[in-house]
Amino acid sequence: MLPAVVEPRADEDPHPPPLTVPRLLRRGLARHCPLCGGGGMFRGWFTIVDRCPRCDFPTERIEGHWLGALGLNTIVTTGSVLVATVVAFVITYPNGSAILAVAAIVATAIVVPLAFYPVSKTLWSAIDLAMRPPEPDDDIDPRWIPPTAHHEEG
Ligand SMILES: [Zn+2]
């Protein structure tokens, strides 16, 4: 079976753009590879591949890497539950239904972490890549290593 993303030919020079923080965050939010922007990073909704199918970027660069994704998901879920609590309170005030409010809050606490799970992984990988540029140990396809970013805006 062919991979979802067409790999560059051996003679192809991809000319990757610099890894600016906005570009990295956009790729992470799109569940794409932070290094090359390619897709096909997941098998199903929950399983991230070991390496990007296009540039060979390792998704778990160091042991314990996914603690950052767990932290991101915890922050997003806690924030969503807080918002759901306030919204449920405002909507049902003053004669509200506690059961309806609790149901909305519990549903938020279940749906948000599952929905955000894959994004938390690619977004954390993007943040990690912003803090730790590609290293020789990452064993990435060298054609996809971009020129050094100069912290440019945009
Ligand atoms: Zn890639």
Side-chain angles (χ1 to χ4, degrees), residues 33 35-38 41 52 54-57:
C33 170
L35 184 70
C36 74
M41 297 295 286
C52 170
R54 183 155 74 167
C55 71
D56 228 22
F57 177 74

Side-chain angles (χ1 to χ4, degrees), residues 14 136 145:
I145 295 177

Side-chain angles (χ1 to χ4, degrees), residues 45-86:
W45 188 253
F46 296 106
T47 308
I48 194 164
V49 296
D50 292 336
R51 286 185 171 271
C52 170
R54 183 155 74 167
C55 71
D56 228 22
F57 177 74
T59 52
E60 188 173 5
R61 296 174 74 195
I62 56 167
E63 199 178 324
H65 174 80
W66 297 128
L67 280 175
L70 180 68
L72 275 183
N73 208 347
T74 302
I75 291 167
V76 168
T77 300
T78 306
S80 300
V81 168
L82 184 65
V83 168
T85 304
V86 171

Side-chain angles (χ1 to χ4, degrees), residues 1-140:
M1 193 173 142
L2 291 173
V5 175
V6 177
E7 298 199 18
R9 298 187 317 269
D11 60 342
E12 184 182 354
D13 185 358
H15 294 296
L19 294 177
T20 60
V21 170
R23 178 173 289 124
L24 285 166
L25 295 180
R26 269 196 310 274
R27 289 173 174 176
L29 287 170
R31 301 189 302 131
H32 285 182
C33 170
L35 184 70
C36 74
M41 297 295 286
F42 289 87
R43 286 191 209 95
W45 188 253
F46 296 106
T47 308
I48 194 164
V49 296
D50 292 336
R51 286 185 171 271
C52 170
R54 183 155 74 167
C55 71
D56 228 22
F57 177 74
T59 52
E60 188 173 5
R61 296 174 74 195
I62 56 167
E63 199 178 324
H65 174 80
W66 297 128
L67 280 175
L70 180 68
L72 275 183
N73 208 347
T74 302
I75 291 167
V76 168
T77 300
T78 306
S80 300
V81 168
L82 184 65
V83 168
T85 304
V86 171
V87 168
F89 177 79
V90 169
I91 287 175
T92 59
Y93 184 83
N95 303 313
S97 156
I99 291 172
L100 198 66
V102 168
I105 292 164
V106 169
T108 302
I110 292 170
V111 170
V112 169
L114 296 176
F116 189 68
Y117 182 82
V119 178
S120 74
K121 291 209 157 191
T122 50
L123 185 58
W124 176 251
S125 290
I127 292 169
D128 180 63
L129 190 59
M131 295 188 291
R132 287 190 311 124
E135 297 163 359
D137 281 353
D138 293 329
D139 205 20
I140 298 163

